[in-house]
């Protein structure tokens, strides 16, 4: 188990770059690292991950804003749903057994990886929004918020496949819009986790601050990837993280000691 002052820095640098490159909060890699490398207890790892995403997602979003790859109206509708979902999700965190969290998280990653390898027609995500489409965006946000609160991830693992496969977004627009939702959702979830004690504040700050620069760099480089290559790389990342979590599903909860 790695538990040094440089551990959070390494986790932040790596997850920050992945956050920018793939438009996710970084929790898909951050949670396993916090648990398996830094020795943070599972529930607090989920909360700490969400806290670190505040800084990381803000930096990555800046890169996509410079590129004009953000669909504001869909993003705000998705956030309307996620703001409710994250409140419920963080409440569930105290009541879910550690083993179930690990297995559920891993299975979610595997399912998302398979779906992300599929292709779909692409649009810019800026077409007229009908009432039915608005409801669909809000429902997507609700699922995203539940995932963010209960699993400690930004929700991009749900939003990006949904925006590409269901709503027909271009790959860069899906990533940028995902981060637009992740930022405020992470703030809400972090405030709730702080009140309930499901966060290591110093570890969250160290990881988040360490990933600011690499998140911005990753976001700038995201447009250089083809949608197909981006999907394949993202799927590999998801599957690798899932395998690690399943391997350690039955391990006893490590003692908290990341600070």
């Amino acid at each position: 188990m790695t538990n040094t002052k440089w551990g959070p820095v390494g986790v932040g640098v790596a997850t920050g770059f992945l956050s920018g490159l793939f438009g996710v909060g970084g929790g898909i890699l951050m949670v396993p690292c916090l648990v398996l490398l830094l020795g943070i207890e599972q529930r607090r790892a989920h909360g700490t991950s969400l806290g670190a995403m505040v800084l990381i997602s803000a930096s990555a979003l800046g890169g996509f804003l410079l590129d004009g790859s953000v669909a504001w109206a869909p993003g705000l509708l998705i956030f309307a749903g996620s703001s409710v979902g994250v409140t419920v999700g963080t409440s569930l965190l105290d009541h879910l057994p550690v083993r179930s969290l690990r297995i559920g998280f891993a299975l979610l990653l595997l399912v998302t990886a398979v779906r992300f390898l599929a292709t779909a027609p692409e649009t810019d995500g800026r077409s007229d929004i009908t009432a039915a489409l608005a409801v669909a965006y809000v429902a997507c946000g609700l699922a995203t918020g539940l995932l963010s609160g209960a699993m400690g991830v930004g929700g991009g693992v749900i939003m990006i496949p949904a925006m590409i496969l269901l709503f027909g977004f271009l790959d860069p627009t899906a990533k940028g819009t995902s981060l637009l939702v992740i930022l405020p959702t992470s703030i809400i979830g972090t405030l709730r986790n702080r009140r309930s004690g499901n966060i290591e504040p110093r570890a969250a700050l160290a990881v988040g601050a360490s990933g600011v620069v690499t998140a911005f760099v990753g976001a700038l480089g995201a447009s250089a990837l083809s949608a197909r290559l981006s999907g394949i790389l993202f799927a590999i990342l998801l599957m690798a993280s899932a395998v690690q979590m399943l391997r350690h599903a039955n391990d006893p909860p490590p003692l908290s000691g990341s600070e």
Side-chain angles (χ1 to χ4, degrees):
M1 181 183 300
T2 300
N3 191 12
T4 70
K5 64 180 181 179
W6 296 110
V9 175
V11 174
V13 169
T15 55
F17 181 73
L18 293 173
S19 175
L21 191 64
F22 295 120
V24 298
I28 52 176
L29 179 62
M30 204 183 305
V31 171
C33 285
L34 292 176
V35 173
L36 305 177
L37 299 182
L38 302 186
I40 298 179
E41 188 272 329
Q42 187 77 31
R43 293 184 182 87
R44 291 173 73 84
H46 287 287
T48 301
S49 171
L50 201 59
M53 284 175 210
V54 175
L55 292 176
I56 289 176
S57 60
S59 178
L61 176 60
F64 283 97
L65 286 172
L66 287 178
D67 193 44
S69 298
V70 177
W72 287 91
L76 293 175
L77 285 168
I78 294 173
F79 172 65
S82 70
S83 61
V84 176
V86 73
T87 301
V88 178
T90 51
S91 298
L92 291 174
L93 189 56
D94 281 325
H95 305 289
L96 295 174
V98 170
R99 183 173 182 273
S100 295
L101 278 173
R102 290 176 178 171
I103 294 176
F105 187 77
L107 292 178
L108 173 68
L109 297 186
L110 290 174
V111 170
T112 304
V114 172
R115 289 180 59 82
F116 214 83
L117 291 175
T119 58
E122 296 181 339
T123 66
D124 61 4
R126 295 179 174 86
S127 56
D128 292 338
I129 297 178
T130 63
L133 186 56
V135 170
Y137 283 138
V138 173
C140 176
L142 182 62
T144 296
L146 285 168
L147 176 71
S148 297
M151 294 295 185
V153 299
V157 291
I158 282 185
M159 276 187 289
I160 293 175
M163 283 188 277
I164 292 175
L165 302 176
L166 302 180
F167 301 126
F169 277 57
L170 292 170
D171 184 75
T173 306
K175 293 175 180 178
T177 306
S178 169
L179 288 164
L180 176 65
V181 179
I182 287 172
L183 176 57
T185 301
S186 298
I187 293 173
I188 293 173
T190 297
L191 291 175
R192 289 185 59 84
N193 281 327
R194 185 172 177 80
R195 286 197 294 269
S196 63
N198 284 323
I199 187 172
E200 299 276 3
R202 284 188 287 176
L205 179 60
V207 172
S210 300
V212 166
V213 174
T214 53
F216 188 76
V217 171
L220 294 180
S223 60
L225 289 178
S226 69
R228 186 60 179 166
L229 177 59
S230 177
I232 292 173
L233 293 176
F234 191 30
I236 292 172
L237 171 66
L238 294 174
M239 288 187 285
S241 296
V243 169
Q244 281 296 97
M245 293 306 291
L246 287 173
R247 284 181 57 197
H248 295 271
N250 293 315
D251 289 358
L255 295 176
S256 176
S258 64
E259 296 184 15

